[in-house]
Amino acid sequence: MDNLKGQSDRGLLPSFRAAVLGGQHEELLCTLDSIAAGSRENLGVAARCLACIADVLACMAGEGRGGLRSGPAANPAWSHAFSVLEQGDLLGGVQALATERAKWLSRPHLLVRAARHYEGAGQVLLRQAVMSSQRFISIGQGEVPPLGEWQDVECPARLDLSGGWSDTPPIAFEHMVAQWSTWR
């Protein structure tokens, strides 16, 4: 779990598959809940933990079972958990997600639907993380640089890689840490 806290770009899915096959999924889910709930200072880590929980749930459903993983995350049973996250209560939101998740573990199609809702909850946190950048931005009057003089400017890049934006999951979780350090 140091990979999550340290924001490593190492993929964790093989470890999740092994944990599920070894019957350790309950402990793994509790650990991921704990890391997510404790990541108030880094919503990106919390969001990745929720995406990892979605991966674990999909592994629990079994390869090719439970239906399509992509789809809506709008079941009313999950609305309370989403509302708590929207209000900025990360600990309460993670706990509400876990409480609802416990009701969806009995069949493959329910596990896949729960995974969709965890991915949706991760998107809530990513949106909040992106919106928090506003506190670092100021707009005001400045001096106009001299004409004909080169100016160096730094800004993050957004790349479209075969239909996946570089700043959205899963690309952002698995590859952006290494790329970001090379771009700066």
Side-chain angles (χ1 to χ4, degrees):
M1 294 304 133
D2 290 337
N3 287 324
L4 289 171
K5 292 178 185 177
Q7 301 179 39
S8 167
D9 64 346
R10 181 172 168 243
L12 300 172
L13 194 55
S15 299
F16 297 157
R17 286 185 182 124
V20 169
L21 288 173
Q24 300 297 310
H25 54 275
E26 289 179 28
E27 294 86 350
L28 179 57
L29 290 170
C30 286
T31 299
L32 291 168
D33 286 338
S34 176
I35 295 170
S39 298
R40 182 76 185 127
E41 296 301 315
N42 191 334
L43 292 179
V45 170
R48 185 175 182 195
C49 285
L50 298 184
C52 287
I53 291 171
D55 285 340
V56 172
L57 294 172
C59 288
M60 290 169 62
E63 193 72 33
R65 297 178 59 206
L68 293 176
R69 184 159 162 196
S70 63
N75 188 294
W78 295 84
S79 63
H80 172 69
F82 276 66
S83 175
V84 174
L85 287 174
E86 290 283 2
Q87 294 170 13
D89 180 0
L90 181 61
L91 176 59
V94 170
Q95 289 172 340
L97 287 167
T99 299
E100 189 58 37
R101 176 182 73 216
K103 302 171 190 174
W104 294 67
L105 302 177
S106 62
R107 295 188 303 248
H109 78 281
L110 293 176
L111 286 161
V112 170
R113 290 178 67 197
R116 290 180 195 165
H117 286 83
Y118 266 91
E119 290 170 347
Q123 292 297 321
V124 169
L125 297 183
L126 284 177
R127 182 175 31 77
Q128 290 174 347
V130 169
M131 294 304 293
S132 73
S133 67
Q134 292 177 343
R135 66 179 170 210
F136 303 107
I137 298 171
S138 63
I139 300 174
Q141 294 293 329
E143 292 184 30
V144 177
L147 289 176
E149 186 175 306
W150 283 92
Q151 303 295 317
D152 289 327
V153 178
E154 293 184 31
C155 68
R158 185 174 197 188
L159 306 173
D160 183 355
L161 305 173
S162 300
W165 288 98
S166 59
D167 60 346
T168 60
I171 295 168
F173 291 146
E174 303 301 330
H175 302 289
M176 286 306 292
V177 173
Q179 291 177 357
W180 177 252
S181 62
T182 61
W183 288 342
R184 289 201 277 189

